[in-house]
Amino acid sequence: MTFRLVGGLSLAACLHLAAAELMFDLTAEKPGTVPAGWRSALAGEGPPGVWEIRLDAPAELATPAAPGAASGVVRPVIAQVSTDATDERFPLLIYEPEVFGDFVLRLRFKTVAGTREQMAGVAFRLQDERNFYVVRASALGNTFGFYRVFEGRRDAPIGPEVKVQPGVWHDLEIEARGNKFRFRLDGREPIPELTDNTFRAGKLALWTKSDSVTYFADLRVSYTPRVRLAQRLVDEMMKKYPRLLGLRIYATTAARPELHVVAASNPADVGLSGGEVERAVMETLTPYAGRARKKFITTLPLQDVNGDAVAAVRVELTASPGQTEVGAVARARPIVKQMQGRFQTRQELTE
């Protein structure tokens, strides 16, 4: 899958602005495959869904996918095609590369088939398969609803009866700002603005139920890029300590389980692999210090609320006259200690 960003900006440029927009371009995807960057998952019971790229005719759309789109020309869509009729079965297709806090998601959906259900929806602020919000439309039940899934238990849906015609494309828009949510179906707002404080950020996922065969197209999300807590801590320390020459935090993440730089004073360092020094510091909880020209480089463990090392912090300081490695570690400790008091788990620090 490729991403197109509006306004002629590169991805790197957009991520440094207050807002960014992702347009999910499926034209390079091979029919019959799962689009790149997405992962099939399941909430509830039964077998997982079958998600794949299919070709469909944009002539069926109420409006074209893009200005100048050719009528009658097939184009790729994301489809859930499994017809397993297990009742409490909710196939998910999770977009893995990004976590979204505040966002506006726009897409089109079409319910194609289903005997027990014909539903289309989006799970948002998803923590895992047992914790997320859902907004969904039902073509068989003619309902539009929102609900929360918390620790695997569904709240009662909130929403009215709404005519959802099967076999045609519908526009869906989801807006999440802080703890407030708004939803639009085909330009109308069936549910008044809702408020919930359970999940402040999470992943996005396409959602269906039971034997629903459903197509999704024209996905676009405008969002405020989230800055990892690790990066915010680095930025704060660099401002607070003018004699700091550089900071890096090495850790693992769910998306990349090997040790690497997750935050740094130099953006070009983010993503660099960790080495033996960082691994040894985390394993032994023993600081490292070395001198390089006019600076000291120290590496200290960063521990979670249980005392487990979840990261290694590399601190570069200007060398004072006569300073030793022991003195350099002593200067670096207060910096790391301040970071340590700001989080409880690795996930909170890095995700």
Side-chain angles (χ1 to χ4, degrees):
M1 173 178 293
T2 57
F3 309 110
R4 292 186 292 120
L5 291 137
V6 298
L9 295 173
S10 68
L11 178 60
C14 282
L15 292 180
H16 285 87
L17 298 178
E21 184 170 62
L22 289 176
M23 297 174 63
F24 296 87
D25 184 356
L26 304 174
T27 55
E29 300 292 332
K30 183 179 178 181
T33 64
V34 177
W38 298 77
R39 175 177 65 87
S40 177
L42 179 72
E45 305 170 351
V50 177
W51 296 89
E52 63 182 34
I53 297 294
R54 285 199 170 183
L55 298 178
D56 195 60
E60 298 177 25
L61 291 169
T63 56
S71 177
V73 178
V74 295
R75 52 78 181 269
V77 300
I78 300 176
Q80 197 298 119
V81 298
S82 169
T83 56
D84 185 282
T86 303
D87 186 31
E88 292 297 303
R89 173 178 175 266
F90 305 96
L92 297 167
L93 188 66
I94 303 172
Y95 181 62
E96 290 288 5
E98 185 63 79
V99 172
F100 299 92
D102 292 351
F103 67 88
V104 177
L105 171 68
R106 299 177 179 90
L107 58 77
R108 291 188 172 104
F109 69 85
K110 177 170 68 172
T111 60
V112 177
T115 301
R116 181 181 290 273
E117 298 286 2
Q118 290 189 26
M119 285 194 180
V122 173
F124 63 99
R125 293 194 175 170
L126 182 144
Q127 313 300 300
D128 54 35
E129 289 84 339
R130 292 169 52 83
N131 295 276
F132 52 87
Y133 298 122
V134 168
V135 62
R136 92 294 184 274
S138 171
L140 289 186
N142 284 314
T143 59
F144 183 82
F146 162 87
Y147 63 81
R148 181 190 69 161
V149 177
F150 183 69
E151 297 300 328
R153 302 182 66 176
R154 283 188 295 150
D155 295 342
I158 299 171
E161 292 187 0
V162 175
K163 178 63 177 177
V164 181
Q165 186 176 348
V168 300
W169 288 94
H170 299 274
D171 294 300
L172 176 63
E173 180 178 311
I174 302 169
E175 180 179 352
R177 305 286 183 193
N179 64 350
K180 299 185 182 301
F181 313 128
R182 300 181 70 177
F183 311 105
R184 296 176 182 86
L185 178 66
D186 294 330
R188 298 184 178 182
E189 201 162 350
I191 304 173
E193 183 178 82
L194 298 176
T195 300
D196 189 89
N197 294 308
T198 309
F199 309 123
R200 304 297 292 189
K203 295 184 183 295
L204 289 171
L206 304 179
W207 175 102
T208 66
K209 183 180 180 184
S210 190
D211 62 343
S212 302
V213 175
T214 307
Y215 291 178
F216 298 87
D218 304 323
L219 283 74
R220 174 186 296 191
V221 57
S222 303
Y223 65 104
T224 302
R226 296 181 71 248
V227 179
R228 282 175 172 159
L229 176 59
Q231 187 61 55
R232 297 204 304 270
L233 294 176
V234 166
D235 295 341
E236 289 176 16
M237 295 303 109
M238 291 299 296
K239 290 180 181 179
K240 186 172 183 179
Y241 295 93
R243 297 189 69 183
L244 264 177
L245 299 178
L247 273 177
R248 294 180 188 174
I249 297 179
Y250 293 82
T252 62
T253 63
R256 186 176 170 184
E258 70 272 14
L259 195 65
H260 63 284
V261 179
V262 297
S265 53
N266 180 0
D269 293 339
V270 175
L272 294 176
S273 297
E276 292 300 323
V277 168
E278 292 78 29
R279 282 189 283 270
V281 166
M282 292 179 64
E283 290 172 2
T284 65
L285 300 182
T286 303
Y288 164 88
R291 184 163 184 157
R293 295 185 179 180
K294 297 182 179 181
K295 65 181 179 182
F296 271 104
I297 299 175
T298 64
T299 305
L300 291 84
L302 190 61
Q303 296 167 268
D304 65 12
V305 68
N306 296 317
D308 297 324
V310 296
V313 182
R314 171 176 160 144
V315 184
E316 297 183 16
L317 291 160
T318 54
S320 301
Q323 188 175 43
T324 65
E325 284 85 354
V326 173
V329 170
R331 290 174 61 197
R333 280 193 188 279
I335 298 170
V336 176
K337 186 175 181 180
Q338 288 181 61
M339 293 182 177
Q340 210 156 262
R342 297 280 297 279
F343 69 96
Q344 294 187 331
T345 66
R346 179 196 62 79
Q347 289 82 0
E348 188 178 349
L349 178 70
T350 64
E351 301 298 337

